[in-house]
Amino acid sequence: MTAAPTPMVRGLSTRLARLPIRRISLIALGIAIIYGVVAGTTATLRTGKFDTHDWVNFLVQGIARGSVYALIALGYTLVYGILLMINFAHGEVFMAGSFTAFFVASALAGHGFLDRQPIISFVILLLVSVATSVTVALLLERLAYRPLRGAPRLVPLITAIGASLFLQYTFRGLYGEQAQAYPEIDAFQGTVQIAGFPVTKEQLIVIVGALILWLALYLFIERTRTGRAMRAVGEDRQIAALMGIDVDRTIRITFAVGGALAGAAGILYVLLFNQVNFTMGFIPGLKAFTAAVLGGIGSITGAALGGLILGVLEAVGPTLFLTGTGIPSAFQLTPIVSFGILVLVLIFLPGGLLGAPEEKRA
Amino acid sequence: MIERFNDRNVVTGIIQLGLILLIITIGGFAYRASGRPKDGTAPPEPVMAGAVAGAASGAMVALFVIVVTLLAEAGYVARDMFESVTPALLDILTFQQNPWVGSAIMIVMAAGVGGLAGYAHRLPAEGRKLTFLGLGTLLIVGLAAPIVDVMVKGLGLPSGWLFRREGLTVAGALLVLVVTVALRWYLDRQGGFRRAAAKLPGITDSNIKKVGLTAAAVVVLALPWLVNSFISEVLGTVGLYILLGLGLNIVVGYAGLLDLGYVAFYAVGAYVTAVTTSLVGYLVTDDPLRPAQNGWTSFWLALPITVVIAFLIGVLIGAPVLRLRGDYLAIVTLGFGEIIRTLVLSDWLKPYFGGPQGVTDVPAPPPASFEFRQPQRLYYLILAFALLALFVSSRLKDSRIGRAWAAMREDEDIAEGMGVSVIKYKTLAFAIGAAVGCLGGAFFAAKLSVANPGSFTLLVSINVLAVVVLGGMGSIPGVVVGSLVLVGLPELLREFGEYRLHIYGAILVLIMLYRPAGLIPDKRRARELAEAKELKETSGVAAS
């Protein structure tokens, strides 16, 4: 026999149970993070270790890095917009292009062609990388994802993880496990002054290149017939089919376009980081996914915006927030900034910056 | 890399693994190509069709060899780009002849293999089954020869006539083939294994399960004494993965939440145990150079502390993010895994976690006189906890909590409507999964005497996921089989070691494509997946 709780105790416990504990703790978490960021920032700025010059440097680095993230993020967003699935292996599509183009680059460098005709060489590399990435993306869609259309959500996701691992180790089997250093293109070295601040030519190419590609994609989606078909399939696959849209073809095109952007990103990436190996796609892929979520998955502008914000926060964040707090080697904590952003965005703003508010889909 | 397969004898001196892989690939193509077409047209002449398909695949290989050779003569070495295209590989593909002769042999051999594969269609169904079974068993026993050899020796029987140089002898191969085929044939005649077993004296329909369990228990307990300490150690590792797999099975299999950061709890288990028990100076004494006599506590006290902390961390990580939909949750948990790894690696927390080196000098579980680190003893220790975890998770499955999880997994909204507090049960699944998984970490630290960040990469999460998925999500025997296949086999088949992750990736994809409920499906889970497939097929018709 258990004694019934006295009315007063029961009242208190139900009242306690009704408290929105989750919301309160989330608000507390939010306030704590904002306080930490503000306090860290003021402390860092007060130390005076870095001047304007340094900050602009960080910023440009961040924008360049963010442009690459943005390009990869577009692939995630396009596929998610249509199939509502995270193409976990997209990072490997990016790696495939970049890694394959390396061998062309080193062959071109060996013949001296790379330095004689830097622009033509660059275009060749871009084409090789894009072609490889598109091929891999299409194979992935055909072999791994298409048979699973309509399966429970967990199923294609696990498939995608498996495909990601499989692709990584396939390329390791093909090209070996060492990291390879891309040959440098002499014509792309050096800096230019923009508004009094030095920007390396490579960074400039990356930023401008990404901007052009983003614009091209935007026009493609908004202005062409195929783009309209893609949007329609994203809205409702069955009705799109009834309207005479070839759904399979549209999905293929989506994967191809995403792959092409990833391939281009692969070449821009090596301008910044120079090294390729078979695992290079994984972390940028994750960060690009973060960028896509941050901007609002499904939104093209959002992916670009998210990429830039993430890139800048990564480049500036650890130094700005943490140096002043006395934490040694703050740059080591970069992954915490990027994944922390992902977690926070999903908790506080599940729709992302520009996305529609999250609706539940079965 | 591939040429290493050819150092591995299956039947010593006659058939090597490399050749077998080639034959299986060609034969598989030919078998599929020569079968009855799907559209119901007249069946082809299977032997001819198989031979043609085989010759075609052989010709592809030959073409590859010739292109590589011609390129090399023109000064382009394929190996500069494709690392695996080694002279040794070409030697295998040309049977050590010159490229032209080798290619001709390859095409002829492939046609022969293809013809044989096509002929399999001609065999009566029973004969085909027996042939494949016999050849399959032969391959498995041949690959497992080193272990089987040790076990036969462990029983005190002579093994020289069966095994030689890590492969079967011809006599051994014949024996395996004959015994397998005869046994299967006999069992089929008797109407299956259960019927046949029931005819043995003292076994009735009612106690057959008990007898089977007892036999299994005897094997499991006796195993370390039959094999050498290397294999015991492998078994210990398998046990660790069983623990991890059971933990993840609760999260993924029971509750249907995809957790890609499961390694975080493995790391928490290892680090908490290590930090609380380590003898390393900087953690315990003021003088960093002088190692301590005792850690802060002993392993046995650290274990419950570890479990509690892991449980709490599971709640802490889980509570804020569990409202997210499945695929977002996967990525967020993955992010948490990376965050934890970054934290233990950082200079910032180095005074506690030792940075890249990790926490060293973790003592073995006391009493020292029992020598728990000896692989055989450790095996029993891990076995005991694996059994405990097995018990807990099988009891959980049909408990009120387990049924709430199943309801939630099938339809969250309806479960919520029926009064299941989704957040509460999700958090619970996450935390219990964490508590089970951290045991794996604790034993890891005790086993290797160190907890270092290098051991807690994302790949561990994916390995454990592969274990659960292969065995079947939600299936407890599945986890055991999954661990044995994915963790045990690669340790023993060293040739596959390099390809391990490659194979994991392929397994995840293939299982999801062809058998999403896994090798040993959980009944309810299999039904859910089948229903979803039916739905898909009907809606697929509507869409096209």
Side-chain angles (χ1 to χ4, degrees):
Chain A
M1 288 276 286
T2 49
T6 62
M8 205 195 77
V9 175
R10 190 199 290 153
L12 189 66
S13 67
T14 41
R15 228 175 287 158
L16 266 181
R18 277 197 200 135
L19 269 181
I21 292 180
R22 197 183 120 88
R23 191 170 296 165
I24 291 175
S25 42
L26 282 186
I27 291 172
L29 179 69
I31 292 173
I33 289 169
I34 292 171
Y35 171 77
V37 166
V38 172
T41 307
T42 30
T44 306
L45 292 180
R46 213 173 274 156
T47 58
K49 248 192 211 163
F50 306 97
D51 58 13
T52 326
H53 206 85
D54 295 322
W55 291 120
V56 172
N57 241 337
F58 285 139
L59 195 68
V60 175
Q61 262 175 34
I63 294 177
R65 198 192 286 192
S67 310
V68 176
Y69 291 160
L71 282 185
I72 309 175
L74 289 171
Y76 280 107
T77 271
L78 285 174
V79 169
Y80 193 92
I82 286 194
L83 287 178
L84 297 180
M85 72 165 275
I86 299 174
N87 178 9
F88 210 87
H90 192 60
E92 274 56 54
V93 172
F94 155 83
M95 173 273 289
S98 197
F99 208 170
T100 308
F102 160 77
F103 294 97
V104 179
S106 68
L108 289 177
H111 289 91
F113 190 78
L114 198 63
D115 288 328
R116 263 182 284 130
Q117 295 287 351
I119 306 286
I120 297 180
S121 306
F122 189 68
V123 172
I124 293 176
L125 291 184
L126 213 53
L127 289 179
V128 170
S129 177
V130 166
T132 317
S133 291
V134 169
T135 314
V136 174
L138 286 178
L139 282 176
L140 195 64
E141 193 272 331
R142 179 68 193 84
L143 298 177
Y145 299 153
R146 193 183 302 172
L148 292 175
R149 239 176 257 163
R153 296 188 81 106
L154 212 57
V155 171
L157 191 57
I158 294 176
T159 311
I161 294 162
S164 159
L165 203 61
F166 183 78
L167 281 174
Q168 275 185 31
Y169 283 83
T170 303
F171 277 88
R172 180 187 153 186
L174 284 177
Y175 298 154
E177 56 185 322
Q178 302 96 331
Q180 309 273 14
Y182 253 73
E184 288 189 342
I185 303 179
D186 282 344
F188 293 175
Q189 305 303 311
T191 56
V192 286
Q193 296 286 327
I194 291 180
F197 293 105
V199 176
T200 69
K201 283 184 189 165
E202 288 177 330
Q203 285 169 342
L204 197 65
I205 293 172
V206 171
I207 297 170
V208 172
L211 193 67
I212 293 173
L213 286 169
W214 175 79
L215 209 62
L217 179 74
Y218 185 81
L219 292 177
F220 174 72
I221 300 284
E222 293 294 323
R223 296 287 158 81
T224 64
R225 214 181 149 76
T226 322
R228 206 169 340 136
M230 283 163 70
R231 279 180 288 144
V233 174
E235 288 281 332
D236 190 316
R237 211 181 300 164
Q238 291 196 8
I239 292 181
L242 290 176
M243 294 291 131
I245 294 172
D246 184 342
V247 174
D248 277 344
R249 180 170 163 272
T250 311
I251 292 176
R252 264 201 309 276
I253 292 176
T254 310
F255 270 87
V257 171
L261 291 168
I267 293 297
L268 297 182
Y269 176 89
V270 292
L271 288 181
L272 297 179
F273 297 98
N274 239 320
Q275 274 212 337
V276 288
N277 73 345
F278 71 102
T279 55
M280 66 181 272
F282 196 77
I283 295 291
L286 276 185
K287 292 192 174 153
F289 175 77
T290 305
V293 171
L294 178 60
I297 198 149
S299 152
I300 307 240
T301 318
L305 192 66
L308 288 181
I309 294 178
L310 184 70
V312 169
L313 276 180
E314 260 190 23
V316 178
T319 321
L320 183 61
F321 307 150
L322 298 176
T323 312
T325 55
I327 290 176
S329 343
F331 63 91
Q332 284 178 337
L333 302 179
T334 309
I336 297 188
V337 173
S338 23
F339 293 121
I341 292 170
L342 175 67
V343 174
L344 294 178
V345 169
L346 285 176
I347 293 176
F348 290 107
L349 202 70
L353 293 174
L354 300 181
E358 175 75 355
E359 54 186 290
K360 244 181 174 170
R361 293 178 170 116
Chain B
M1 291 207 282
I2 291 166
E3 64 267 15
R4 285 191 48 204
F5 284 130
N6 247 27
D7 296 340
R8 182 62 182 256
N9 282 309
V10 174
V11 178
T12 299
I14 298 181
I15 297 182
Q16 287 81 28
L17 187 55
L19 191 59
I20 289 186
L21 290 180
L22 199 63
I23 290 176
I24 288 181
T25 316
I26 293 173
F29 273 126
Y31 183 77
R32 287 210 59 169
S34 58
R36 187 184 290 270
K38 254 189 194 161
D39 52 8
T41 48
E45 179 55 44
V47 179
M48 235 3 244
V52 171
S57 2
M60 300 278 272
V61 179
L63 187 69
F64 166 76
V65 170
I66 287 168
V67 166
V68 168
T69 319
L70 289 182
L71 278 177
E73 275 167 15
Y76 297 99
V77 183
R79 203 177 170 196
D80 289 349
M81 182 166 176
F82 297 105
E83 202 202 49
S84 306
V85 186
T86 54
L89 174 71
L90 293 182
D91 268 352
I92 294 171
L93 294 181
T94 55
F95 307 97
Q96 275 103 13
Q97 307 290 326
N98 83 45
W100 302 98
V101 179
S103 297
I105 301 180
M106 171 63 74
I107 295 175
V108 172
M109 186 209 78
V113 169
L116 279 178
Y119 183 69
H121 289 291
R122 274 285 172 84
L123 291 172
E126 200 190 10
R128 194 169 21 174
K129 208 177 84 185
L130 286 178
T131 314
F132 285 152
L133 181 79
L135 292 177
T137 317
L138 183 61
L139 178 62
I140 291 170
V141 176
L143 285 178
I147 320 156
V148 184
D149 192 12
V150 170
M151 285 168 72
V152 172
K153 279 194 187 121
L155 286 171
L157 302 172
S159 67
W161 60 283
L162 279 176
F163 301 106
R164 192 155 51 89
R165 286 202 293 135
E166 300 205 321
L168 286 162
T169 57
V170 178
L174 286 178
L175 184 76
V176 169
L177 207 58
V178 169
V179 166
T180 319
V181 171
L183 197 67
R184 185 71 239 178
W185 183 77
Y186 173 76
L187 287 178
D188 282 346
R189 275 295 153 95
Q190 299 293 319
F193 178 72
R194 284 183 69 105
R195 288 270 194 84
K199 285 189 182 157
L200 292 173
I203 294 182
T204 60
D205 259 353
S206 54
N207 70 2
I208 184 167
K209 204 172 174 184
K210 242 181 234 169
V211 174
L213 274 180
T214 320
V218 169
V219 169
V220 166
L221 285 176
L223 212 51
W225 306 107
L226 289 181
V227 297
N228 53 20
S229 64
F230 167 68
I231 296 178
S232 301
E233 196 167 333
V234 171
L235 287 173
T237 313
V238 172
L240 282 188
Y241 271 85
I242 291 180
L243 276 174
L244 291 173
L246 286 172
L248 188 63
N249 192 34
I250 291 176
V251 185
V252 177
Y254 292 179
L257 308 165
L258 187 55
D259 181 356
L260 290 183
Y262 196 63
V263 66
F265 303 123
Y266 188 41
V268 165
Y271 269 94
V272 173
T273 309
V275 169
T276 47
T277 61
S278 170
L279 304 180
V280 74
Y282 62 82
L283 284 172
V284 204
T285 57
D286 294 333
D287 179 1
L289 292 176
R290 188 164 49 92
Q293 289 300 312
N294 288 303
W296 184 75
T297 181
S298 85
F299 179 81
W300 298 112
L301 267 176
L303 209 56
I305 299 177
T306 308
V307 172
V308 169
I309 290 182
F311 189 90
L312 290 179
I313 291 183
V315 172
L316 270 183
I317 291 185
V321 299
L322 283 172
R323 282 231 309 227
L324 300 174
R325 246 205 358 249
D327 30 16
Y328 279 179
L329 181 72
I331 301 282
V332 169
T333 48
L334 195 155
F336 271 125
E338 287 294 296
I339 288 178
I340 288 200
R341 201 171 64 89
T342 311
L343 281 179
V344 293
L345 249 173
S346 66
D347 284 348
W348 176 37
L349 296 176
K350 201 172 172 183
Y352 309 98
F353 299 133
Q357 272 174 349
V359 183
T360 51
D361 293 336
V362 181
S369 58
F370 197 63
E371 289 183 64
F372 264 118
R373 279 228 174 97
Q374 207 187 321
Q376 269 105 347
R377 304 246 163 104
L378 200 64
Y379 168 84
Y380 287 119
L381 185 65
I382 294 174
L383 181 70
F385 278 87
L387 286 178
L388 180 71
L390 272 173
F391 177 74
V392 168
S393 55
S394 72
R395 296 293 291 174
L396 268 175
K397 188 172 185 172
D398 298 321
S399 68
R400 191 180 174 79
I401 300 175
R403 282 175 283 132
W405 284 333
M408 197 171 83
R409 183 180 75 207
E410 290 198 7
D411 193 317
E412 217 175 289
D413 295 334
I414 294 180
E416 183 109 57
M418 289 300 181
V420 174
S421 163
V422 169
I423 288 289
K424 181 178 140 196
Y425 282 103
K426 277 186 176 178
T427 314
L428 200 61
F430 219 65
I432 294 180
V436 175
C438 81
L439 290 176
F443 288 118
F444 175 86
K447 183 180 170 200
L448 296 184
S449 86
V450 63
N452 62 330
S455 314
F456 304 109
T457 59
L458 174 76
L459 286 175
V460 177
S461 302
I462 295 184
N463 289 0
V464 182
L465 182 68
V467 162
V468 173
V469 166
L470 177 72
M473 286 181 283
S475 153
I476 295 174
V479 171
V480 178
V481 171
S483 310
L484 280 171
V485 172
L486 288 185
V487 183
L489 277 188
E491 295 277 347
L492 301 174
L493 304 175
R494 293 180 311 273
E495 287 75 12
F496 284 103
E498 283 180 42
Y499 292 88
R500 186 177 181 153
L501 295 161
H502 209 160
I503 295 171
Y504 282 8
I507 281 179
L508 284 176
V509 175
L510 293 177
I511 287 273
M512 282 296 118
L513 285 178
Y514 296 111
R515 207 182 154 99
L519 287 184
I520 307 182
D522 173 61
K523 270 187 202 137
R524 183 193 278 270
R525 210 61 217 262
R527 208 176 56 220
E528 282 164 31
L529 288 163
E531 267 170 15
K533 203 173 175 196
E534 264 168 36
L535 262 178
K536 170 199 157 193
E537 265 150 22
T538 46
S539 69
V541 172
S544 58

